Amino acid sequence: MDLIRDAIRETFLLLLQGDSEIWSITLRTLIICGCSTIVSFIVGASAGFCLAVLPFRGRGVLVTFANTGMGMPPVIAGLLVAVLLWRSGPLGGLNLIYTPVAMIISQCVIAIPLVAAITAGSFMSLPESLFLQIRSLGAGRKDTLFLLAYEARLGLMVAMMAGFGAVISEVGAAMMVGGNLAGDTRVLTTATVLLVSKGEFGRALAYGIVLLAMVFIVALVLTSVQNLARKRV
Amino acid sequence: MSGTDTALSMSEIVVHRSGQRVLSFESFDLARGESVAIIGANGSGKSSFLLAASLLIPSTEGEIFYFGTKISRSNRREFRRLSSISFQDPVLLDRTVIDNLKIAMDLRNFEKTEVHSEAYSWLERLGVERLALKKPHELSGGERQRVSLARAFALQPAILMLDEPFTAIDPVDKRSISRDLHDLINENELSSIVVTHDISEAVVLASKIVVLIDGFIHQDGTMKDVLNRPKSVNVAKLIGHTVLGNDDARESLRISVPSSSSHELISFPTSAISLRANPKGRGQITRYESAVGGIVAIVRLAGVEIPSDISAHQVMSLDFAVGQYVDVIFDQSKLVHLSN
């Protein structure tokens, strides 16, 4: 208990005293995870919409792939991206390994199937007659997309929350392709792992509390928006 | 739109859905200003017919013409905008009622300055203007259907398509909505297709009828022709006729049917039978049943059960209570001979 009490006290001290390290790691975590979430959502939601709405051969197989991807271990995603971006790998010339961009790519590999599968499920749960009715009104593809997205907005918000949850909590891939470089690719999860390995449990717990608080605040905002939308349904 | 008198023409149509052939017929024509009812049992292909006619699903084979112009992949969306469709379970967007109309009108490129007043006037016409700011989940089934119809009319379609418009609503709403619908179709001289399994709805809203069974058109013609002269047992049953074998008919109704006739069955509407109270009559009322046109009395006559039209006044009378004996009077002019 002392350890936890000390950690909470240390967290407040670090934050209130303006500890530059914790603030910079927190900010970096937010930027990297925010970028990953946005990219994952744009790509994943678009893919999910196509999987749900467009008739094409092999759609069922792709839906199965997306569903399988929901359970992809972050370490595997990290390994794949590391192999691609490694100096001698196919994309080694881009010099992205051990950079925040590499971390964003690996986090997107983890989150995109998740977002795509949840989005596809949300659109598929809309009645077929809604799709037909919108088309009968004369809507083109863009109008159809926006009208259906509005109808599936609760599911889309769940997809975004799931994507954010996946990228902010993963550590294996971030460590593997980011390298946990201080001041560059060190984020809250990788920093926590490092501190624990050094036996600095107090500061590690402080980082953990900040991470939890961040997830809580984001979840709170999205849940509030979701509840607001649900009340209007 | 060209000057042709035909609003919609479909020929040699075959439609597949989920790998199954659901529709196959030679031709269907809808004249300008004409109302046609498509009737059929569940699974007969009625809804697929409407979706194909409204260009929402492609036909595997055949040709469709809107006002004389052949529909192709390139002009499909343009011609889709000539019709409005209202589905069995009214599909409204999760927006306010007025927004549902305004969005639909925006999609059809109505003049932006007129959209609000035009939408509101259609809500007024359908008697739901007080619901303009409500969301769909706050509406009853009848209100949703009225909003859906208001949206369909607000688009000022050349062809109106209605899929089972009264299924989801109670009898009181059904009566008032069907009256409004009938008036609006006539006032606007709309060409319309109404899909229904209920012959009474077809009679109210259409002048011609097409009977669809297992995806095939079994009979079409004026309402009077089809209702009085069904061409097959399936059609006769679908339009509410009683079908009897010749032997049963001779025994029960005491009518003369040639024994060597190639027509082995007869059919007649429930209106061909009338009942007269008589404690010594040959028939006995066994029960009442709801039927296409209202309530019918089931009369047992020489071992055969025959449904008969019965008035509300008769239902209230003790002379026509279940178990009472009655005289059964048969109007032979309504008799139809059928092949098995």
Side-chain angles (χ1 to χ4, degrees), chain B residues 7-18:
Chain B
L8 168 65
S9 176
M10 303 168 85
S11 59
E12 306 296 339
I13 296 294
V14 176
V15 174
H16 285 84
R17 294 184 80 183
S18 306

Side-chain angles (χ1 to χ4, degrees), chain B residues 220-274:
Chain B
D220 59 348
T222 65
M223 196 64 72
K224 190 179 165 191
D225 281 349
V226 176
L227 295 189
N228 291 331
R229 293 282 173 258
K231 286 180 180 168
S232 68
V233 173
N234 287 335
V235 174
K237 285 180 177 171
L238 199 63
I239 61 174
H241 273 219
T242 303
V243 178
L244 291 179
N246 284 349
D247 291 343
D248 282 342
R250 266 191 296 270
E251 280 290 314
S252 59
L253 298 173
R254 290 183 174 168
I255 55 174
S256 57
V257 183
S259 56
S260 60
S261 167
S262 60
H263 296 105
E264 296 163 358
L265 299 168
I266 61 154
S267 87
F268 51 86
T270 53
S271 62
I273 304 281
S274 55

Side-chain angles (χ1 to χ4, degrees), chain A residues 86-108:
Chain A
W86 202 252
R87 307 260 184 257
S88 55
L91 302 175
L94 297 174
N95 286 325
L96 290 176
I97 194 77
Y98 300 141
T99 65
V101 175
M103 293 171 74
I104 291 171
I105 293 170
S106 68
Q107 288 178 344
C108 285

Side-chain angles (χ1 to χ4, degrees), chain B residues 33-140:
Chain B
E34 184 178 57
S35 288
V36 175
I38 312 291
I39 71 160
N42 289 338
S44 59
K46 304 188 298 291
S47 294
S48 297
F49 183 100
L50 205 64
L51 293 176
S54 57
L55 312 177
L56 288 172
I57 57 171
S59 55
T60 325
E61 292 173 28
E63 293 180 334
I64 299 177
F65 291 84
Y66 265 48
F67 299 96
T69 304
K70 187 178 172 184
I71 303 301
S72 63
R73 278 176 76 92
S74 58
N75 64 11
R76 210 173 173 78
R77 193 176 147 218
E78 175 196 340
F79 278 91
R80 202 182 281 151
R81 287 166 171 243
L82 290 182
S83 66
S84 273
I85 185 165
S86 178
F87 287 102
Q88 178 177 350
D89 185 16
V91 183
L92 299 176
L93 300 172
D94 182 30
R95 321 272 183 138
T96 61
V97 163
I98 189 86
D99 279 349
N100 264 278
L101 271 70
K102 285 162 71 175
I103 288 170
M105 293 168 82
D106 280 341
L107 289 171
R108 295 270 176 114
N109 301 326
F110 276 64
E111 196 64 49
K112 288 208 182 303
T113 51
E114 291 170 11
V115 162
H116 186 83
S117 58
E118 191 73 9
Y120 199 82
S121 74
W122 277 107
L123 290 177
E124 262 183 331
R125 185 68 185 79
L126 269 298
V128 283
E129 73 282 5
R130 68 187 192 288
L131 307 173
L133 299 177
K134 298 246 185 210
K135 299 286 280 287
H137 70 276
E138 299 174 276
L139 310 180
S140 69

Side-chain angles (χ1 to χ4, degrees), chain B residues 1 4-8 29-36 67 157-160 182 184-193 205-208:
Chain B
M1 285 186 270
T4 175
D5 286 337
T6 309
L8 168 65
D29 289 314
L30 175 72
R32 280 177 190 260
E34 184 178 57
S35 288
V36 175
F67 299 96
I159 305 173
L160 179 69
H182 175 265
L184 284 168
I185 289 172
N186 288 332
E187 279 169 24
N188 293 280
E189 295 177 350
L190 278 177
S191 310
S192 62
I193 302 177
L205 296 174
S207 55
K208 284 179 75 176

